[in-house]
Amino acid sequence: MPPNTTASSGKQSGKSGRKKGRKVRLLLIVLVLALIGGVGFGAFWSISTVRASFPQTKGSITLEGLSGPVDVKRDGYGIPQVYASSDEDLFMAQGYVQAQDRFYEMDVRRHMTAGRLSEMFGEGQVDNDEFLRTLGWHRVAEEEYKSTISAETKKYLDAYAKGVNAYLAGKDGEEISLEYAALGFANDYKPEEWTPIDSLAWLKAMAWDLRGNMQDEIDRALMTSRLGPKQIADLYPQYPYDRNKAIVQEGTYDELTKTWTDGSGTSQNAGGAAQGTGGTGTGTGGTGTNTGGTGTGGTGTGTGTGTGAGTAGASSGSSAVQTQLTGLYDVLEDLPEAVGVNGNGIGSNSWVVAGSHTITGKPLLANDPHLSASLPSVWYQMGLHCKSVSQKCQYDVAGYTFAGMPGVVIGHNRDVSWGMTNSGVDVTDLYLEKLTGDGYQYGSKVLPFESREETIQVAGGSDKKIVVRTTNNGPLLSDRSNELVQVGRKATVDRDAPDRGDGYGIALRWTALEPGTTMDAVFAMNKAADWNGFRKAAALFDVPSQNLIYADTKGHIGYQLPGKIPTRGKGDGSIPAPGWDTRYRWNGYIDQDELPYEYDPDRGYIVTANQAVVDEKYPYTLTTDWGYGTRAQRLTSLIESKIKGGGKISTEDMRQMQMDNSSEIAKLLVPLLLKIDVKDKHIREAQKLLEGWDYTQDADSAAAAYFNSVWRNILKLAFGNKLPKELRVKGQCLSVEPVDSTGPADEDRRVRECGRRDADQAQPDGGDRWFEVVRRIIDDQDNAWWSTPKLRNQKAADTRDELFARAMRDARWELTAKLGKDIDTWSWGRLHRLFLKNQTLGTEGPGFVKYLLNRGPWKLGGGEATVNATGWNAAGGYEVVWVPSMRMIVNLGDLDKSKWINLTGASGHAYNAHYTDQTGKWVKGELLTWSFSNKAVQDSTSDTLLLKP
């Protein structure tokens, strides 16, 4: 479901180059469209042009390649339900219909995953293409298609591609999408045929945005330039297991059999192929092993020996790591998002309640993934039905999928339902590599790089060739910046690191850069009939590792953690590792039967909301960076309050839980804020808003507006102003304290530094990690973090309450400037707004084009780490950064009484009736009826299209 400390002289030139790149992005399009805009709107954006690409939804169309007729039934929201008589016809029709609604989105995505955006948008995308070519998503997808996925999956991918290409056949660009009409004026770009590799590569983009703790790994290393180990530990507290429960509470790990046992004491083999990797190591000193796993359905083995030199390598505090990671972050933050916010803030809610606690007597399952707000939504709602389920046609499934990919990613079939949340499991490691000539040091030897040349074609410009170098840990990301190469040559490192040689680079080890079987898992999940079938499907779901929840029509519920999750020889993946030290290599992957799961737990419900999966007794390190469980604990409380009161949970109860706006940090802080003696009448007036407030962050709440501003200012004063410039908001300049100090410093020792990070990526972001940071020190009035320096016309704060008083004052005047003097007119929704932007021309085109393609704003309730998680970044402002990208509630007692909603609509065509026709209901928390049975679908059908062979 898509992410820097250098020498200042080099940094300025590098930054200005990137800014220049942004300005020239889509330059040809901007110039042409501006010219057209000057001629007049009607001369180009005519009604006929706008409507030319709208899909045909009635009548009949002949498609070469179909073996039989296919019916496409759309409801009043344009959501299609496809009926076919063979699997190949079903997925061919899926490709055709998704291309009707979303091909431009699909085309942009495939150019992104292949590192070919420059072919569409010109030289401003070259840097992004270089980085994506270095990652090599498309190459990995090619290898998957050749050697990893099943013959059946290949057949379905081929059929899907055939359907997309049947739609494209004979069409000019403007007949496909309005955006192509604009591109046609800027260059001679024409869409090419779809391939199965294009579908597989999209899974890599999804995995990238859900990749785990890579951002925290970078941030921790960057913090060392200004903070000491104790201070960094303060900002990354341990997970509060005593207060916020892990997902799996009733299962146990058996050390003797090396299997996971569910709450009933039963060990269930998933039947999936074990995953193992081998490797070799050379050097002098110790030994190491790499082992593969074993399991029903396959084995994996690997051995490796190494005699590492025993060097400690560069610590996270070395300037080599600092300088390389600063530049790496600059590259990451400019990458286009796939489904997330470049790895930041990705969350989700899902929970399932057993029939013993529901009105229907059968399970209810809810899911709402939290992803970047995009237009169109990343999700596409669809039903895929065999007219008669048989060996020839095996599917009867509906739910959410991605345009460009066959099958259903989240949803239900006639027997089972499933949902997903991001597990946060650590499947990426950064390695600092010592470069020497044409190779890199590993142990006592210098190994040669694996190298390949890539050619990037540029619309309106000259081709660019790059060389991609790869170590045994993965691609060398630092090669994508000349500045990083120079810095690596000059960087200083700890004394135990090897000699500088030709400098240092950063390599990435990531599970998704190895061919996998996730596409197989999607199809297997779509036709799973029971828990065993579901777990077998989950065993194939290697990346990204997601929390999978389950329910079936027989009344069972369950949870499974799937994924290719590495085991490490040394280190825990929390900070970059020394690539030259053989002890830091990955040893293999956790076997499927050792991964945590639960089946029919006694408590009768399972909640996953990015909290810890297991407690501290589990023998493997899954990550050091769980979400802190705020949303999960709130959902648990809501469920238990209903159950303990003797009530039964309904679909409406589940919907209301999804829309819960309660602020957990407000419950902690407001009583303390109200005790502060405020002298200024204007600030006292604002403080009174908090009296009697129920901590609910509704869009029309003035109290929520003021509290969140206070919270933002508390974070800024206590932590934000003390972070290194690489983590602070770009352009915000401060006189900062010297390194290793959280308290005030002498004025003449302070230095002026300006932030370098985009507003929606900066820290402190205000998420539940920061809830936990504040909770840990809240009773310590004199903690050093509460201290602030004396600034012009402002007294220093020495205690918690002094800092809180200053935050209340700053919040009052901030909201006065933003919302006006009259607090009666304040509301959270006026600050907390959602804008939906077309992901190419809507962000980079001229103003009038943005006006035509973009929508909003909408005033939203909810907030950070709230169940209704309309995320905002406290360092950068109040506007919505990510959202519940869809919401669904599946009723396993009567599937036709299930509910769903999408963030936008089925269509990617601006001015189509279904462009944003679900957004208004989504904002209000309303859900649409989700028809599934033949009769229910027929009753809700507005348009029927017959696809004929």
Side-chain angles (χ1 to χ4, degrees), residues 439-508:
Y440 59 97
Q441 183 167 329
Y442 184 66
S444 62
K445 292 188 175 182
V446 175
L447 303 182
F449 294 110
E450 290 184 14
S451 299
R452 68 178 188 270
E453 187 175 83
E454 298 269 355
T455 300
I456 298 171
Q457 296 179 344
V458 183
S462 301
D463 293 352
K464 181 173 183 180
K465 294 184 182 297
I466 64 169
V467 174
V468 176
R469 299 189 295 176
T470 302
T471 74
N472 59 5
N473 290 314
L476 205 60
L477 304 186
S478 48
D479 275 357
R480 299 288 61 87
S481 168
N482 289 330
E483 180 183 338
L484 290 185
V485 173
Q486 294 302 320
V487 168
R489 289 174 178 165
K490 299 177 181 178
T492 57
V493 294
D494 290 350
R495 63 183 180 180
D496 290 332
D499 291 337
R500 175 177 292 108
D502 290 332
Y504 297 88
I506 293 286
L508 171 67

Side-chain angles (χ1 to χ4, degrees), residues 506-547:
I506 293 286
L508 171 67
R509 183 84 190 262
W510 178 33
T511 54
L513 296 184
E514 301 168 13
T517 55
T518 300
M519 198 70 243
D520 287 339
V522 172
F523 293 118
M525 212 169 288
N526 284 190
K527 59 185 179 183
D530 54 26
W531 174 243
N532 288 334
F534 181 78
R535 289 198 74 222
K536 288 179 181 179
L540 301 168
F541 203 104
D542 45 22
V543 290
S545 178
Q546 298 288 282
N547 296 312

